[in-house]
Amino acid sequence: MAAVPAEMGAGEWGRARVVVERWRHVLAVPRPNLYRAERERRGAGRELRGMPPMAAAIGAPEAQDMVPAEGNHSCSSSVQSTPEIEKKYVHRVYDAIAPHFSATRFAKWPKVAGFLNSLRPGSIVLDVGCGNGKYLGFNPDCLFIGCDISPPLIEICAGRGHEVLVADAVNLSYRNDFGDAAISIAVLHHLSTDDRRRKAIEELIRVVRRGGLVLITVWARDQEDKSLLNKWTPLCEKYNEEWVEQSSPPVRSQSGTLLESIAETDEDTGVMKQTDDRLKKFHDGVEDKIIDFSNSKTDENEKNQQEYFVPWHLPFHRAEIGAASAALENGFAKKDEKKGTVVYNRYYHVFVEGELQRWSILTQQLYIHMKKLTSFPFCFYLLVSGIKNATIVDQFYDKSNWCIVLEKL
Amino acid sequence: MRLLTHNMLASNVRGATTGYPLTLEVTKWCTKEVELNADFIRGLLPKIDWRALVAATRALGLPELLPEDQPPEEEIFAEGAADVEGSAIRRIHHALLEVHVQEGSLVCPDTSRCFPINKGIPNMMLHEDEV
């Protein structure tokens, strides 16, 4: 690995930031953890950053971001429980916008089409997070089974004659080794923790046979049109506790200031342009808050920022608008009078270069038992035993998405 | 829901040992003809749990459709088998791909948890206390 510069100064998105991220990935330098509150609650140990097992055993990540383990490291149930942010800003939103969303999902992505067409005739293909079923039946020589967490989207698929079910990507109800291939197209970026994203990849590998292929695509933080990045609505750490820990009932929004956005320019990136203003208000479903970007931490936060709300504009004339009135009432959605739409926010964790590979490399660690090393001032763990082997057979960046193809060994 | 799908579904409720096979309870079902692709059926068979498939056909009230034991390979791979009315491969094709369960439920054999099937769609989502 070539020497890399230490800290790139504040500036525009570009190759430099990607390099910094790659450096961080290799040396396992922890990045600021936006989920500190959640980690402390769980007492989680250090997560590996793609290091081989022995290196991980002897490596000593900086204590900066370490949290001492509190007794047993046991969150196998929590990884499959849906966090509040996903319930509010993924599940409910897609349920509310399903027909409109489906109407905009028709273009077939060439890379996905190519993957599906390369499969052996007679293959069983599992589309996990199939949405409106855009890819179901794409290759007529294969048999497709789709699943999604959104019942309204699944009903749209069923209405088109597809074989579908309602299921959770983090806890698939398929038995092991059944599929010949699996695809997860623009799904994992809606999962809000590293553990859940990794679990979803493990599930995809589990449900295909040995030699089966898995295609995963996710939104990239590094968009092809880099200027758009500045206009996403970032979620900042100080609001983390509120929308992760939120348990009180939603409060009606007091502010009249609205997000200014235009309609999605590209259905596959869904990037929204925001008003070019240093002070931005965003809607978190509880009350409006102001993110002040004028302080010195701004550029540092931006470099590490991977959590965003991306708005969806539902035009007033759509039939789904009827259900939107309840959402408006409790502050879950907002009106954009200028655009004539109701605005919902969708949660995204956008991926950096190497992030998909990081979780995939971890799955190659065969039957290594969990070890707790107490001779260091902090504790960390090697990967859990029993994870099936998978190897990366392809990886690429396409249309602002990071993509990976895995083969189950 | 086709019986092919039923054959691959398992209960993932916390506390289930295997969660497989799910017991099929049917209140409404139909058949939709689809062209037989013999090679496809032959390729599918190694994946299929025969007992679960037979149990599902019994639940539909089709006890005569499939034998208790999986037919021998010679019968499945025989030349022209697909053209014979009532041949094993045609029956398997019918069971796996032409039968559609529209209303009913899938019951976990370990926990008795019921997963509903409505409008042909199974809902396998678990509640908070089941994961």
Side-chain angles (χ1 to χ4, degrees), chain A residues 229-261:
Chain A
L229 282 167
N230 296 327
K231 297 167 183 176
W232 285 2
T233 306
L235 302 177
C236 293
E237 184 176 357
K238 65 176 176 175
Y239 306 118
N240 177 51
E241 284 81 4
E242 284 156 10
W243 46 250
V244 172
E245 308 287 344
Q246 169 64 23
S247 56
S248 55
V251 172
R252 191 193 178 104
S253 165
Q254 298 297 318
S255 168
T257 304
L258 301 169
L259 284 173
E260 299 238 353
S261 322

Side-chain angles (χ1 to χ4, degrees), chain A residues 122 163 166 171 173 175 178, chain B residues 2 5 7 10 12 47 124:
Chain A
E163 186 71 12
V166 178
N171 195 7
S173 42
R175 57 184 169 101
F178 201 95
Chain B
R2 292 182 171 88
T5 308
N7 206 264
N12 47 7
K47 294 176 188 274
M124 310 303 293

